[in-house]
Amino acid sequence: MGMEQAWLIPALPAAAFVVITLVGKYLPRKGDWVAIGAIAASFVLFFFVLADLLDVVDEPGFTGGEKSWEWVSFGDFEIRLGFFTDQITIVMLAVVSFVALMVQIYSVGYMRGDPRYGWYFAVMSLFVAAMLTLVLADNLLLLYAAWEGVGFCSFLLIGFWWEKRAAAEAAKKAFITTRIGDVGLLIGILMLWREAGTFDISEIFEFAEAGGYGATYLTVAVLFLFAGAVGKSGQFPLHVWLPDAMEGPTPVSALIHAATMVVAGVYLVARMLPLFELADPIALNVVTGLGLTTVLISATMGLAATDIKRVIAYSTLNSLGLMMVALGSHSVTAAMLYLFVHAFFKALLFLGAGSVIHATEKQELDELGGLASRMPLTTVTFAVGTLAMIGIVPLAGFWAKDEILHFTEVGQNAGVYGLMLLSVFITSLFMTRLFIRTFLFKSRDPESRKHAHDAEPAMTVPLLILAVLAAISGFVVFSGVGEAMGFPGGFGEFVFLEHAEEFEFNWDIVVLSTVLGAGGMMVGYVFWANDAVPATRMGELFRPVYNVLYNRFYIDHVYQFVIDRVVLTGSSIVSWFDRNIVNDTGVDGSAALALLAGWQLKFTSTGKLPNYALAISSGVIILALVFLIVKA
């Protein structure tokens, strides 16, 4: 059992989807145990694949393990169904399979009693299968098919409670917004195939390194690829779907934000980074620019958001932006390290929020508060996730964020580095606000607090496991830890693009990020402690700024205006042209002419032979005259 059998990892949850869909209603507990068992088996298989890779990763010339079969063949043209395993794939397999397992277990308690309980686990299984296929795909065509599968499943899960108009609208918004990026991805894939004649990622890399693509052509192609990442990973300006996606069940939010859909874009850029580096520098500058913009606007919008899940969603946007800045700074290592640890503390934060909502049936911060004494376990684990997100030493987020800051300092200008440091302070500020307003001081809704309590073991055990990993997973940066686990060294010596890098302390960054993170926490405490009087006064003093942040920079309003005034107006014109010119005139008009001709011709059928003889004779005479005239 090894890398050649990696295809079984997505196959098992895909099989679970089929089983639950077909016979789930006849199975005990609607087949939830089938879904959990399938993803648990995938997680176990992951370790066999990992062990096989570790046996050969140090061998000269190793680039990854591969298994493929013929998929489509037309003469000399062939597309193979292939699965590829390397260090980046291993990180993604670990994240997706483990977080999905935790979320599935948690869902047993959270979704109990839902009328579509079995369907929920079926779609979650398909969602995980699509994501696992995406990260294992060795060619862009299979990757795109899985990419669309992820988008389809997210549509079903965000709109799972479709009876609620907000959920149905959020599902449509996510599907349509990401589709804009997906069109760009498809164009980029076709551009790469058009020149290289193959969809195989390794062969495309070889073709590009040999100079097969022109610089401008390659730059345009990778920017189209990046458009897909912008949509899926919620980068500005296609970030607008992600906060609204909170209308789905909270475990869905945890899986989407921590391990599946939104990190697919980061994975795509990381996987295709060799092409970005061969293209014109403007390509990675665009990645950096949009990533940095996403970091800053998400952090500031998080200061004004009032829904607990929406605030955490903004923290996801913030993290995704950080990963994109790392990739724009030429560092797969820093981006994948942050993706790895982010999965644990982001899943922890969402599942913690789910416990709060499950216990209080409230999710507005203005209706929470004072839950620490009623929900001690949730409070402690949520605090770990919050501190990890802020980047407080020695929690996992500290090591990953400092790696990104290091590569930003080295690979970007002082302006980008300064704005990244500023984002550390703002992130600390809005995450501190989230924790205080949810758990500390007096409750703003005593009745809901009265009945609040920590959830059952099915929900609390995943919280505890994720809290431990959010606390310690960052230590994988150290060579000694990596070697003790059987790796060649620390994270940077296992996951890299060109050269392995051993982790080193950058004390200037450590001090700066720690001071900014701790400073944000202290300012946040002063602003939002007790009745949050300073924050209220600040909001009143800077009401226009607050309104801009609360309304998300009015970006959604601009999109709605464009849809109402431009898209719908244009659509009405097209609709009028289609109805009146194409349909009524072109289609119905030609049919009406035929009908009229038939109606007129019926009068020539008299049934009298002399009339027909006269018509024939007249026709012959006319044709003869025409012939004589033409001949003359």
Side-chain angles (χ1 to χ4, degrees), residues 241-439:
W241 70 268
L242 199 146
D244 291 341
M246 300 301 97
E247 294 296 336
T250 303
V252 170
S253 302
L255 191 59
I256 288 176
H257 286 246
T260 52
M261 183 162 170
V262 299
V263 295
V266 176
Y267 167 78
L268 175 67
V269 178
R271 171 62 67 204
M272 307 304 291
L273 194 60
L275 291 186
F276 282 82
E277 297 202 326
L278 289 170
D280 190 278
I282 192 175
L284 285 179
N285 289 340
V286 170
V287 175
T288 302
L290 293 186
L292 183 60
T293 303
T294 305
V295 168
L296 295 173
I297 66 170
S298 61
T300 51
M301 289 188 293
L303 288 169
T306 58
D307 182 291
I308 183 174
K309 289 173 64 178
R310 200 178 289 268
V311 176
I312 302 173
Y314 287 128
S315 77
T316 300
L317 284 173
N318 183 268
S319 297
L320 294 167
L322 290 175
M323 296 178 217
M324 289 299 183
V325 172
L327 291 168
S329 304
H330 306 267
S331 179
V332 165
T333 300
M336 295 305 297
L337 174 62
Y338 199 98
L339 187 153
F340 177 69
V341 301
H342 167 266
F344 305 130
F345 64 72
K346 191 52 51 70
L348 175 60
L349 288 170
F350 269 111
L351 297 185
S355 292
V356 170
I357 297 168
H358 188 264
T360 65
E361 298 183 353
K362 307 288 184 182
Q363 58 189 80
E364 284 290 322
L365 295 180
D366 293 338
E367 298 176 326
L368 297 172
L371 295 176
S373 59
R374 302 291 301 178
M375 306 178 69
L377 190 148
T378 302
T379 302
V380 171
T381 54
F382 199 94
V384 172
T386 301
L387 294 173
M389 175 69 205
I390 293 171
I392 299 300
V393 65
L395 302 182
F398 167 80
W399 310 103
K401 186 172 288 187
D402 278 23
E403 277 289 273
I404 293 177
L405 289 174
H406 164 66
F407 282 101
T408 303
E409 182 184 33
V410 172
Q412 303 292 343
N413 59 50
V416 173
Y417 180 59
L419 290 173
M420 288 286 283
L421 289 172
L422 175 62
S423 75
V424 174
F425 176 80
I426 303 175
T427 301
S428 176
L429 198 61
F430 86 79
M431 290 303 297
T432 301
R433 168 181 177 262
L434 171 67
F435 184 80
I436 290 175
R437 300 286 285 171
T438 304
F439 294 102

